[in-house]
Amino acid sequence: MNASAGPHPVIPGFTLRRVAAGEVEIAAAVRGEGPPLLLLHGFPQSHLIWRKVAPALAQRFTVVATDLRGYGASSKPPGDPGHVNYSKRRMAADQLAVMTALGFERFAVCGHDRGARVAHRMALDAPLAVDRLAVLDVAPTLAMYEGTTMAFARAYYHWFFLIQPAPFPEALIAAAPEAFLRHHMGGRHAGLAPFLPDAWPHYVRDFSDPAAIHASCEDYRASADIDLRHDEADQAAGKRVRCPLLALWGRHGVIERQFDALGAWRAVATDVRGGSLDCGHYLPEEAPDALLETLVPFLHERRP
């Protein structure tokens, strides 16, 4: 199951593992007892986004915080013409395989940014495995593309830059990866402060790998291509998320300004609640206490 395991270098008490998931290995930080909880990060980060909340969650849950394929210390397979390797369906299957390998057949999932899109797909494709779903600072992918405006395109320029054919965006980012991160992450509501000093060097190191840059571009190319086809097929078939869903977003971010997040999630899920927190995009790092105050009661609700 595990290619290697050892103490986590940043998050006290956690064990860092590499878990085989089909043709890839997924890095996972694991600790705790109680109901299993899978945490999924977003672009351009890693499982370290959870470092401020994971220890508290591990007092109540068995926490598994992973790196998505293509990110952090997980495998980074090359892209393919149809972007299948980085479809949310394939990425969700990785995470399901990790939880199965760790002995968890049914679990809760909380995802931020890209991780929330993977979690959404997992809840649709494996409804017997996901008993509770929390999504942070996203609306459904199809709804966001269909609702694209000039203001959204300006704020989320990277959605349209990263999907350009390889190797154009890869080459530009690889020329100055830390400068790209400073602009992308530091240009939002809270600046760079939420990531300093502990996580930032890891984010820069991991994202500076050309394979990680390519993988993240493929992640976005998939979202503008094969993922939309999967979402459209679900919509046509009336397929919805059936487990309870908590949607949270930053009050000072794009989701608050430009989308009806609860309305968008209610269009694709049957049991939706949530609201905004006093922060920007990076909820686990900007507002960890507020996130815990809302997330923990939701996760502890009586399970069906």
mmCIF file of all heavy atoms in Angstrom, residues 25-52:
data_model
loop_
_atom_site.group_PDB
_atom_site.id
_atom_site.type_symbol
_atom_site.label_atom_id
_atom_site.label_comp_id
_atom_site.label_asym_id
_atom_site.label_seq_id
_atom_site.Cartn_x
_atom_site.Cartn_y
_atom_site.Cartn_z
ATOM 1 N N GLU A 25 1.090 7.257 -7.751
ATOM 2 C CA GLU A 25 1.200 7.244 -6.305
ATOM 3 C C GLU A 25 0.764 8.615 -5.796
ATOM 4 O O GLU A 25 1.143 9.649 -6.359
ATOM 5 C CB GLU A 25 2.634 6.952 -5.855
ATOM 6 C CG GLU A 25 3.058 5.518 -6.095
ATOM 7 C CD GLU A 25 4.431 5.227 -5.510
ATOM 8 O OE1 GLU A 25 5.168 6.181 -5.185
ATOM 9 O OE2 GLU A 25 4.766 4.035 -5.382
ATOM 10 N N ILE A 26 -0.034 8.596 -4.747
ATOM 11 C CA ILE A 26 -0.596 9.818 -4.187
ATOM 12 C C ILE A 26 0.009 10.054 -2.807
ATOM 13 O O ILE A 26 0.013 9.157 -1.955
ATOM 14 C CB ILE A 26 -2.132 9.719 -4.072
ATOM 15 C CG1 ILE A 26 -2.767 9.526 -5.456
ATOM 16 C CG2 ILE A 26 -2.705 10.946 -3.379
ATOM 17 C CD1 ILE A 26 -2.540 10.681 -6.426
ATOM 18 N N ALA A 27 0.552 11.264 -2.603
ATOM 19 C CA ALA A 27 1.076 11.644 -1.295
ATOM 20 C C ALA A 27 -0.086 11.976 -0.371
ATOM 21 O O ALA A 27 -1.028 12.679 -0.765
ATOM 22 C CB ALA A 27 2.006 12.838 -1.425
ATOM 23 N N ALA A 28 -0.005 11.467 0.864
ATOM 24 C CA ALA A 28 -1.093 11.674 1.819
ATOM 25 C C ALA A 28 -0.532 11.896 3.215
ATOM 26 O O ALA A 28 0.350 11.161 3.663
ATOM 27 C CB ALA A 28 -2.028 10.469 1.824
ATOM 28 N N ALA A 29 -1.055 12.919 3.885
ATOM 29 C CA ALA A 29 -0.753 13.162 5.290
ATOM 30 C C ALA A 29 -1.914 12.614 6.104
ATOM 31 O O ALA A 29 -3.070 12.973 5.861
ATOM 32 C CB ALA A 29 -0.570 14.647 5.553
ATOM 33 N N VAL A 30 -1.617 11.747 7.081
ATOM 34 C CA VAL A 30 -2.666 10.996 7.776
ATOM 35 C C VAL A 30 -2.470 11.107 9.284
ATOM 36 O O VAL A 30 -1.353 10.974 9.794
ATOM 37 C CB VAL A 30 -2.650 9.511 7.360
ATOM 38 C CG1 VAL A 30 -3.794 8.761 8.031
ATOM 39 C CG2 VAL A 30 -2.727 9.369 5.850
ATOM 40 N N ARG A 31 -3.587 11.316 9.981
ATOM 41 C CA ARG A 31 -3.560 11.310 11.446
ATOM 42 C C ARG A 31 -4.991 11.296 11.962
ATOM 43 O O ARG A 31 -5.896 11.807 11.301
ATOM 44 C CB ARG A 31 -2.842 12.540 12.000
ATOM 45 C CG ARG A 31 -2.753 12.565 13.531
ATOM 46 C CD ARG A 31 -2.219 13.869 14.072
ATOM 47 N NE ARG A 31 -2.230 13.892 15.528
ATOM 48 C CZ ARG A 31 -1.988 14.963 16.265
ATOM 49 N NH1 ARG A 31 -1.698 16.120 15.689
ATOM 50 N NH2 ARG A 31 -2.031 14.894 17.571
ATOM 51 N N GLY A 32 -5.168 10.754 13.183
ATOM 52 C CA GLY A 32 -6.438 10.896 13.865
ATOM 53 C C GLY A 32 -7.193 9.603 14.048
ATOM 54 O O GLY A 32 -6.786 8.538 13.596
ATOM 55 N N GLU A 33 -8.324 9.730 14.727
ATOM 56 C CA GLU A 33 -9.246 8.637 14.951
ATOM 57 C C GLU A 33 -10.658 9.153 14.700
ATOM 58 O O GLU A 33 -10.906 10.347 14.723
ATOM 59 C CB GLU A 33 -9.120 8.103 16.382
ATOM 60 C CG GLU A 33 -7.756 7.511 16.707
ATOM 61 C CD GLU A 33 -7.670 7.011 18.137
ATOM 62 O OE1 GLU A 33 -8.656 7.200 18.885
ATOM 63 O OE2 GLU A 33 -6.621 6.446 18.501
ATOM 64 N N GLY A 34 -11.578 8.240 14.498
ATOM 65 C CA GLY A 34 -12.954 8.649 14.271
ATOM 66 C C GLY A 34 -13.319 8.572 12.808
ATOM 67 O O GLY A 34 -12.604 7.975 11.993
ATOM 68 N N PRO A 35 -14.445 9.183 12.418
ATOM 69 C CA PRO A 35 -14.920 9.091 11.042
ATOM 70 C C PRO A 35 -13.872 9.626 10.060
ATOM 71 O O PRO A 35 -13.228 10.645 10.319
ATOM 72 C CB PRO A 35 -16.176 9.985 11.044
ATOM 73 C CG PRO A 35 -16.590 10.056 12.463
ATOM 74 C CD PRO A 35 -15.337 9.984 13.268
ATOM 75 N N PRO A 36 -13.696 8.955 8.923
ATOM 76 C CA PRO A 36 -12.684 9.396 7.963
ATOM 77 C C PRO A 36 -13.097 10.656 7.217
ATOM 78 O O PRO A 36 -14.258 10.831 6.849
ATOM 79 C CB PRO A 36 -12.563 8.207 7.004
ATOM 80 C CG PRO A 36 -13.861 7.485 7.118
ATOM 81 C CD PRO A 36 -14.328 7.680 8.528
ATOM 82 N N LEU A 37 -12.115 11.523 6.994
ATOM 83 C CA LEU A 37 -12.324 12.796 6.303
ATOM 84 C C LEU A 37 -11.192 13.001 5.306
ATOM 85 O O LEU A 37 -10.022 13.047 5.690
ATOM 86 C CB LEU A 37 -12.346 13.948 7.313
ATOM 87 C CG LEU A 37 -12.301 15.374 6.760
ATOM 88 C CD1 LEU A 37 -13.511 15.664 5.883
ATOM 89 C CD2 LEU A 37 -12.200 16.388 7.897
ATOM 90 N N LEU A 38 -11.528 13.120 4.048
ATOM 91 C CA LEU A 38 -10.567 13.372 2.979
ATOM 92 C C LEU A 38 -10.533 14.861 2.669
ATOM 93 O O LEU A 38 -11.575 15.477 2.427
ATOM 94 C CB LEU A 38 -10.963 12.588 1.722
ATOM 95 C CG LEU A 38 -10.137 12.803 0.460
ATOM 96 C CD1 LEU A 38 -8.683 12.367 0.666
ATOM 97 C CD2 LEU A 38 -10.762 12.056 -0.717
ATOM 98 N N LEU A 39 -9.324 15.453 2.673
ATOM 99 C CA LEU A 39 -9.133 16.874 2.378
ATOM 100 C C LEU A 39 -8.380 17.019 1.065
ATOM 101 O O LEU A 39 -7.307 16.437 0.889
ATOM 102 C CB LEU A 39 -8.341 17.543 3.507
ATOM 103 C CG LEU A 39 -8.942 17.476 4.908
ATOM 104 C CD1 LEU A 39 -7.999 18.142 5.917
ATOM 105 C CD2 LEU A 39 -10.311 18.133 4.951
ATOM 106 N N LEU A 40 -8.932 17.825 0.141
ATOM 107 C CA LEU A 40 -8.354 18.007 -1.190
ATOM 108 C C LEU A 40 -8.062 19.486 -1.435
ATOM 109 O O LEU A 40 -8.939 20.335 -1.270
ATOM 110 C CB LEU A 40 -9.316 17.484 -2.260
ATOM 111 C CG LEU A 40 -9.730 16.014 -2.129
ATOM 112 C CD1 LEU A 40 -10.743 15.662 -3.206
ATOM 113 C CD2 LEU A 40 -8.510 15.095 -2.210
ATOM 114 N N HIS A 41 -6.867 19.776 -1.855
ATOM 115 C CA HIS A 41 -6.391 21.154 -2.052
ATOM 116 C C HIS A 41 -6.712 21.664 -3.456
ATOM 117 O O HIS A 41 -7.248 20.940 -4.307
ATOM 118 C CB HIS A 41 -4.872 21.187 -1.858
ATOM 119 C CG HIS A 41 -4.150 20.429 -2.938
ATOM 120 N ND1 HIS A 41 -3.757 21.004 -4.120
ATOM 121 C CD2 HIS A 41 -3.775 19.131 -3.013
ATOM 122 C CE1 HIS A 41 -3.172 20.101 -4.881
ATOM 123 N NE2 HIS A 41 -3.173 18.944 -4.228
ATOM 124 N N GLY A 42 -6.314 22.918 -3.715
ATOM 125 C CA GLY A 42 -6.520 23.521 -5.022
ATOM 126 C C GLY A 42 -5.227 23.959 -5.681
ATOM 127 O O GLY A 42 -4.124 23.663 -5.229
ATOM 128 N N PHE A 43 -5.369 24.686 -6.782
ATOM 129 C CA PHE A 43 -4.257 25.219 -7.575
ATOM 130 C C PHE A 43 -3.751 26.516 -6.943
ATOM 131 O O PHE A 43 -4.552 27.327 -6.509
ATOM 132 C CB PHE A 43 -4.757 25.505 -8.994
ATOM 133 C CG PHE A 43 -3.794 26.260 -9.856
ATOM 134 C CD1 PHE A 43 -2.788 25.601 -10.546
ATOM 135 C CD2 PHE A 43 -3.881 27.643 -9.988
ATOM 136 C CE1 PHE A 43 -1.898 26.299 -11.344
ATOM 137 C CE2 PHE A 43 -2.999 28.344 -10.780
ATOM 138 C CZ PHE A 43 -2.000 27.668 -11.468
ATOM 139 N N PRO A 44 -2.451 26.727 -6.935
ATOM 140 C CA PRO A 44 -1.329 25.870 -7.351
ATOM 141 C C PRO A 44 -0.623 25.317 -6.125
ATOM 142 O O PRO A 44 0.580 25.486 -5.958
ATOM 143 C CB PRO A 44 -0.454 26.856 -8.115
ATOM 144 C CG PRO A 44 -0.647 28.166 -7.361
ATOM 145 C CD PRO A 44 -2.017 28.125 -6.709
ATOM 146 N N GLN A 45 -1.358 24.700 -5.246
ATOM 147 C CA GLN A 45 -0.876 24.377 -3.910
ATOM 148 C C GLN A 45 -0.737 22.879 -3.689
ATOM 149 O O GLN A 45 -0.560 22.111 -4.640
ATOM 150 C CB GLN A 45 -1.793 25.046 -2.881
ATOM 151 C CG GLN A 45 -1.814 26.562 -2.994
ATOM 152 C CD GLN A 45 -2.825 27.211 -2.077
ATOM 153 O OE1 GLN A 45 -4.019 27.207 -2.330
ATOM 154 N NE2 GLN A 45 -2.338 27.767 -0.977
ATOM 155 N N SER A 46 -0.817 22.452 -2.448
ATOM 156 C CA SER A 46 -0.700 21.052 -2.061
ATOM 157 C C SER A 46 -1.510 20.851 -0.786
ATOM 158 O O SER A 46 -2.209 21.777 -0.334
ATOM 159 C CB SER A 46 0.773 20.690 -1.813
ATOM 160 O OG SER A 46 1.239 21.323 -0.619
ATOM 161 N N HIS A 47 -1.382 19.679 -0.189
ATOM 162 C CA HIS A 47 -2.139 19.404 1.048
ATOM 163 C C HIS A 47 -1.741 20.335 2.194
ATOM 164 O O HIS A 47 -2.441 20.398 3.207
ATOM 165 C CB HIS A 47 -1.948 17.942 1.473
ATOM 166 C CG HIS A 47 -0.590 17.649 2.030
ATOM 167 N ND1 HIS A 47 0.494 17.312 1.240
ATOM 168 C CD2 HIS A 47 -0.129 17.667 3.308
ATOM 169 C CE1 HIS A 47 1.552 17.132 2.014
ATOM 170 N NE2 HIS A 47 1.212 17.331 3.267
ATOM 171 N N LEU A 48 -0.661 21.095 2.034
ATOM 172 C CA LEU A 48 -0.250 22.023 3.092
ATOM 173 C C LEU A 48 -1.261 23.140 3.338
ATOM 174 O O LEU A 48 -1.187 23.824 4.364
ATOM 175 C CB LEU A 48 1.117 22.629 2.775
ATOM 176 C CG LEU A 48 2.318 21.687 2.904
ATOM 177 C CD1 LEU A 48 3.603 22.418 2.550
ATOM 178 C CD2 LEU A 48 2.410 21.110 4.311
ATOM 179 N N ILE A 49 -2.208 23.335 2.433
ATOM 180 C CA ILE A 49 -3.245 24.341 2.707
ATOM 181 C C ILE A 49 -4.021 24.019 3.986
ATOM 182 O O ILE A 49 -4.604 24.911 4.604
ATOM 183 C CB ILE A 49 -4.244 24.515 1.544
ATOM 184 C CG1 ILE A 49 -5.177 23.317 1.414
ATOM 185 C CG2 ILE A 49 -3.549 24.803 0.241
ATOM 186 C CD1 ILE A 49 -6.411 23.583 0.578
ATOM 187 N N TRP A 50 -4.004 22.750 4.409
ATOM 188 C CA TRP A 50 -4.796 22.321 5.569
ATOM 189 C C TRP A 50 -4.005 22.364 6.867
ATOM 190 O O TRP A 50 -4.530 21.962 7.914
ATOM 191 C CB TRP A 50 -5.324 20.908 5.331
ATOM 192 C CG TRP A 50 -6.057 20.764 4.051
ATOM 193 C CD1 TRP A 50 -5.622 20.134 2.910
ATOM 194 C CD2 TRP A 50 -7.360 21.277 3.731
ATOM 195 N NE1 TRP A 50 -6.573 20.208 1.918
ATOM 196 C CE2 TRP A 50 -7.652 20.915 2.390
ATOM 197 C CE3 TRP A 50 -8.310 22.003 4.465
ATOM 198 C CZ2 TRP A 50 -8.844 21.248 1.772
ATOM 199 C CZ3 TRP A 50 -9.496 22.342 3.835
ATOM 200 C CH2 TRP A 50 -9.762 21.972 2.513
ATOM 201 N N ARG A 51 -2.757 22.839 6.836
ATOM 202 C CA ARG A 51 -1.881 22.745 8.016
ATOM 203 C C ARG A 51 -2.442 23.484 9.231
ATOM 204 O O ARG A 51 -2.136 23.119 10.373
ATOM 205 C CB ARG A 51 -0.480 23.271 7.669
ATOM 206 C CG ARG A 51 -0.427 24.765 7.419
ATOM 207 C CD ARG A 51 0.856 25.198 6.719
ATOM 208 N NE ARG A 51 0.868 26.651 6.545
ATOM 209 C CZ ARG A 51 0.181 27.292 5.595
ATOM 210 N NH1 ARG A 51 -0.585 26.609 4.741
ATOM 211 N NH2 ARG A 51 0.242 28.609 5.503
ATOM 212 N N LYS A 52 -3.267 24.531 9.021
ATOM 213 C CA LYS A 52 -3.800 25.313 10.142
ATOM 214 C C LYS A 52 -5.062 24.704 10.735
ATOM 215 O O LYS A 52 -5.465 25.082 11.844
ATOM 216 C CB LYS A 52 -4.077 26.751 9.699
ATOM 217 C CG LYS A 52 -2.831 27.510 9.253
ATOM 218 C CD LYS A 52 -3.175 28.924 8.816
ATOM 219 C CE LYS A 52 -1.950 29.681 8.321
ATOM 220 N NZ LYS A 52 -2.280 31.067 7.889
#
